[in-house]
């Protein structure tokens, strides 16, 4: 009976997949007819290209088996408690959690991509992301149970390899979404993009956390079972992020970037910090630095460029003072709120409808050109540093500087990606723009670290 039931489910999935495939071909053919000039040659799809990856697109039972599993969300508190008194047994338990969780989470995103319209999945960039995901899924699902430290060391090498390979995922997805802007409802594209990026963050969190715990366990100073102090990292989790310190550090980096971009003689705004200077909370430091860095970067650029426009129009003088960027820290029993306020003129009206979207409408062409200059992107503030300094980590985690992104290159992904990061740990990011004056951005962070990661645990469009 069980076998018959499984066969019946597989048959239903295959039938629905074939229907979607056929429907996709119809959409693609319709699009070809509309896009091609009436008197010119017809656009043709290369079947040899699709067939070269056909083994990865079949709804095979092994993928169905993993999609049938639920992802198991975790919280920052769980990561802290688990890693605080690290032993060999705990390290191996962590390895086996990651060993089963990574292919489960990847499988659901593969299924999401399989359910996209055919014309979208044939996009070169989306197809390359799909191949990266399938290769990672295939590698992780074959890892046998971790029983020894030697097994774990081999497993960590596999994780290292995949983390490095997947640094190209964000720019490839960004380009793919912009290129497919007219082929799918922008809201559905954004839903897909938010889901896949949140899942990417989740996988990197558990993978990097395990690598960091392994690194700690092998460190010459570490004594197994000894409790780490409250001022240290537990893996990638910084137990006491001091909001003021993070803002100051990010502000210094952004000021260096702006000085490099605009030249030594351009006046830059001061970053003034007010409110609860002692506000602390546990967090993944690289996530927070990315969000704060993007917000400050946007504000500094807006203020400097508004000043340049005003001087050109005779509305201001070069000698006039530059308005400060004000950062207000507010601590409550449950949350820490960070407000960034500037007088950079606000968000242009034609940009507002696309502010939180990854598909940028009429602005897509320029952003596509810019994304073409960014082959890899870890989405951290570290990769924005002017001197491209390296962080001494071998596994290319979120703190690695692997991007060649110029300091003033706009990609159109900073705000939507920052919101994905903020919402991942049950926080929020909101923006209020006063056109002609400036912007207020509010970042809310859960102070206690007891909220589970917010991720889509199942394929959003699962066939059955």
């Amino acid at each position: 009976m069980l076998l018959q039931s499984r066969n019946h489910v597989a048959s239903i999935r295959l039938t629905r997949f074939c229907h979607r495939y056929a429907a996709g071909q119809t959409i693609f053919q319709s699009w070809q007819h509309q896009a091609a000039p009436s008197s010119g040659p017809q656009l043709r799809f290369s079947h040899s290209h699709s067939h070269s990856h056909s083994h990865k697109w079949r709804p095979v039972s092994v993928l169905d088996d993993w999609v049938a599993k639920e992802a198991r969300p975790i919280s920052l508190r769980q990561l802290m408690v688990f890693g605080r008194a690290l032993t060999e047994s705990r390290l191996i338990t962590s390895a086996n959690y990651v060993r089963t969780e990574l292919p489960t989470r990847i499988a659901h995103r593969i299924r999401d991509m399989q359910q996209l319209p055919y014309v979208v999945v044939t996009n070169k960039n989306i197809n390359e992301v799909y191949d990266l995901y399938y290769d990672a899924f295939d590698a992780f699902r074959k890892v046998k149970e971790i029983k020894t430290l030697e097994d774990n060391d081999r497993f960590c090498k596999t994780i290292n390899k995949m983390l490095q390979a997947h640094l190209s995922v964000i720019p490839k997805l960004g380009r793919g979404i912009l290129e497919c802007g007219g082929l799918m409802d922008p809201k559905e594209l954004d839903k897909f993009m938010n889901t896949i990026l949140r899942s990417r963050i989740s996988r990197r969190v558990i993978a990097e956390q395990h690598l960091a715990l392994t690194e700690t366990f092998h460190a010459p100073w570490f004594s197994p079972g000894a409790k780490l102090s409250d001022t240290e990292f537990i893996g990638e989790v910084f137990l006491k992020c001091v909001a003021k310190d993070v803002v100051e550090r990010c502000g210094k980096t952004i000021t260096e970037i702006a000085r490099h971009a605009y030249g030594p003689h351009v006046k830059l705004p001061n970053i003034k910090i007010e409110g609860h200077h002692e506000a602390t909370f546990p967090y993944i430091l690289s996530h927070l630095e990315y969000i704060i860095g993007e917000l400050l970067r946007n504000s500094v650029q807006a203020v400097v460029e508004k000043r340049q426009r005003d001087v050109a129009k005779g509305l201001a003088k070069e000698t006039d003072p530059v308005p400060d960027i004000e950062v207000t820290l507010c601590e409550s029993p449950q949350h820490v709120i960070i407000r960034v306020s500037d007088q950079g003129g606000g968000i242009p009206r034609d940009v507002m409808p696309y502010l939180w979207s990854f598909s940028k409408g009429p602005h897509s062409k320029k952003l596509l050109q810019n994304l073409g200059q960014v082959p890899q992107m870890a989405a951290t503030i570290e990769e924005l540093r002017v001197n491209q300094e390296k962080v001494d980590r071998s596994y290319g985690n979120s703190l690695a500087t692997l991007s060649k992104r110029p300091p003033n290159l706009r990609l159109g992904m900073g705000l939507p990606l920052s919101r994905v990061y903020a919402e991942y740990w049950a926080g929020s990011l909101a923006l209020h723009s006063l056109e002609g004056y400036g912007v207020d951005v509010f970042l809310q962070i859960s102070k206690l670290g007891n909220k589970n990661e917010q991720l889509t645990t199942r394929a959003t469009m699962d066939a059955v």
Side-chain angles (χ1 to χ4, degrees), residues 261-278:
Y262 296 111
H265 304 298
V266 173
K267 284 188 176 182
L268 300 178
N270 293 320
I271 298 172
K272 190 166 109 180
I273 305 174
E274 301 175 330
H276 299 153
H277 285 195
E278 304 304 317

Side-chain angles (χ1 to χ4, degrees), residues 273-345:
I273 305 174
E274 301 175 330
H276 299 153
H277 285 195
E278 304 304 317
T280 64
F281 48 90
Y283 218 73
I284 305 284
L285 189 57
S286 59
H287 292 190
L288 184 62
E289 288 184 336
Y290 177 77
I291 300 169
I292 298 297
E294 284 293 338
L295 299 183
L296 292 177
R297 173 184 166 121
N298 287 343
S299 288
V300 169
Q301 286 182 336
V303 169
V304 170
E305 291 175 13
K306 180 179 185 296
R307 165 53 57 89
Q308 291 176 336
R309 291 193 302 270
D310 288 348
V311 169
K313 294 176 182 177
L315 301 175
K317 299 178 182 178
E318 291 281 4
T319 55
D320 289 346
V322 179
D324 294 338
I325 293 169
E326 297 181 358
V327 179
T328 307
L329 309 177
C330 179
E331 185 176 28
S332 71
Q334 299 290 327
H335 301 101
V336 171
I337 297 173
I338 301 174
R339 183 185 72 173
V340 179
S341 302
D342 67 57
Q343 297 179 40

Side-chain angles (χ1 to χ4, degrees), residues 22 53 92 124 154 200 232 244 318 329 339 351 400:
H53 300 295
I92 289 175
K124 177 179 180 291
R154 285 191 292 270
R200 177 188 183 273
E232 297 183 42
K244 177 176 178 289
E318 291 281 4
L329 309 177
R339 183 185 72 173
V351 174

Side-chain angles (χ1 to χ4, degrees), residues 443-462:
L443 170 64
Q444 180 175 291
I445 295 165
S446 175
K447 182 182 175 184
L448 305 178
N450 59 349
K451 302 291 186 181
N452 278 350
E453 51 182 342
Q454 305 295 299
L455 69 154
T456 304
T457 56
R458 297 202 58 76
T460 56
M461 297 170 284
D462 200 5

